[in-house]
Amino acid sequence: KNEVEQSPQNLTAQEGEFITINCSYSVGISALHWLQQHPGGGIVSLFMLSSGKKKHGRLIATINIQEKHSSLHITASHPRDSAVYICATSGGGLTFGKGTHLIIQP
Amino acid sequence: NAGVMQNPRHLVRRRGQEARLRCSPMKGHSHVYWYRQLPEEGLKFMVYLQKENIIDESGMPKERFSAEFPKEGPSILRIQQVVRGDSAAYFCASSGQGTDTQYFGPGTRLTVL
């Protein structure tokens, strides 16, 4: 069974700061997902990646398969980025980390 | 193209009643996943279904919980004789054939009184 660990658990930053959220997992995977859960509870899939790097707007996700590690970066952070960010590994159903609670203060 | 639909969005039941949660996947998707998020906890996998088949139910509690995805109609997660500990947000997600990307529904918030 895959163990998925995220850090930090909580993160508060000022608007404009560069944000990094880390995720590590214990066994090999076919893909890793980054999800965003808003205060209202809805879940949005941000990225699915199996190698290298993906970019969408101010969000960048990277993965190192050999080290079993992924990072999610947010550039020029904004208060609307405040949410819980969750990494998850594929294997039929997803196995989730506990999430990172991000607050961006204006 | 409508996204994943779940209903009801909120469901209140008394202890001992049955809860039925419905999930309509995105058009063209034949894979459905159910997840549970207990208060102040992370998301947990429950069950993975394809049309008329349960592929993986390793996350389902052994008693009172069942799931189906019939040939026609939505996927149903059924909880019999609900208890207070069943209060949670239940999310379903769907994916298409040959892809790992899952699209989440808005969730059903179940409250057991």
Side-chain angles (χ1 to χ4, degrees):
Chain A
K1 185 184 175 198
N2 215 346
E3 301 290 332
V4 181
E5 300 286 338
Q6 276 186 247
S7 64
Q9 189 173 346
N10 297 287
L11 178 58
T12 300
Q14 295 298 122
E15 183 174 355
E17 287 189 38
F18 181 81
I19 303 299
T20 295
I21 299 170
N22 295 301
C23 176
S24 60
Y25 51 93
S26 57
V27 302
I29 57 171
S30 58
L32 183 135
H33 303 249
W34 282 101
L35 309 169
Q36 180 190 55
Q37 186 168 29
H38 286 280
I43 298 171
V44 175
S45 180
L46 298 175
F47 294 103
M48 185 189 70
L49 64 167
S50 54
S51 65
K53 176 180 173 178
K54 286 190 176 181
K55 184 175 188 292
H56 184 245
R58 295 180 294 106
L59 301 177
I60 303 165
T62 64
I63 188 168
N64 184 319
I65 297 294
Q66 287 74 29
E67 295 188 2
K68 297 185 177 64
H69 180 269
S70 176
S71 293
L72 176 69
H73 306 285
I74 306 175
T75 61
S77 59
H78 190 276
R80 64 174 174 266
D81 297 326
S82 299
V84 177
Y85 292 84
I86 305 167
C87 73
T89 58
S90 280
L94 299 177
T95 301
F96 300 88
K98 292 186 177 179
T100 295
H101 294 247
L102 174 66
I103 298 173
I104 304 297
Q105 295 178 335
Chain B
N1 186 15
V4 179
M5 310 281 282
Q6 287 188 251
N7 68 82
R9 296 289 304 275
H10 299 274
L11 181 61
V12 179
R13 285 286 179 267
R14 297 192 180 278
R15 281 179 296 169
Q17 292 184 319
E18 179 180 286
R20 282 186 179 235
L21 287 62
R22 296 174 195 81
C23 170
S24 296
M26 285 182 71
K27 187 177 180 180
H29 285 188
S30 57
H31 302 240
V32 166
Y33 311 81
W34 284 95
Y35 301 98
R36 178 166 69 172
Q37 187 171 38
L38 292 167
E40 306 304 320
E41 292 191 19
L43 288 153
K44 302 286 187 194
F45 166 74
M46 298 183 76
V47 62
Y48 165 32
L49 311 105
Q50 293 181 22
K51 286 281 187 182
E52 300 184 280
N53 286 303
I54 296 174
I55 306 303
D56 180 356
E57 57 182 348
S58 59
M60 286 279 269
K62 293 289 184 283
E63 297 177 348
R64 302 187 297 107
F65 285 72
S66 62
E68 63 175 4
F69 188 16
K71 186 176 180 181
E72 301 291 336
S75 175
I76 306 287
L77 178 68
R78 182 183 177 205
I79 311 171
Q80 295 178 287
Q81 299 174 330
V82 296
V83 301
R84 289 214 173 110
D86 297 332
S87 295
Y90 292 82
F91 291 92
C92 83
S94 72
S95 67
Q97 187 72 27
T99 174
D100 279 336
T101 301
Q102 296 187 19
Y103 297 85
F104 283 78
T108 293
R109 271 79 181 166
L110 172 66
T111 301
V112 179
L113 301 177

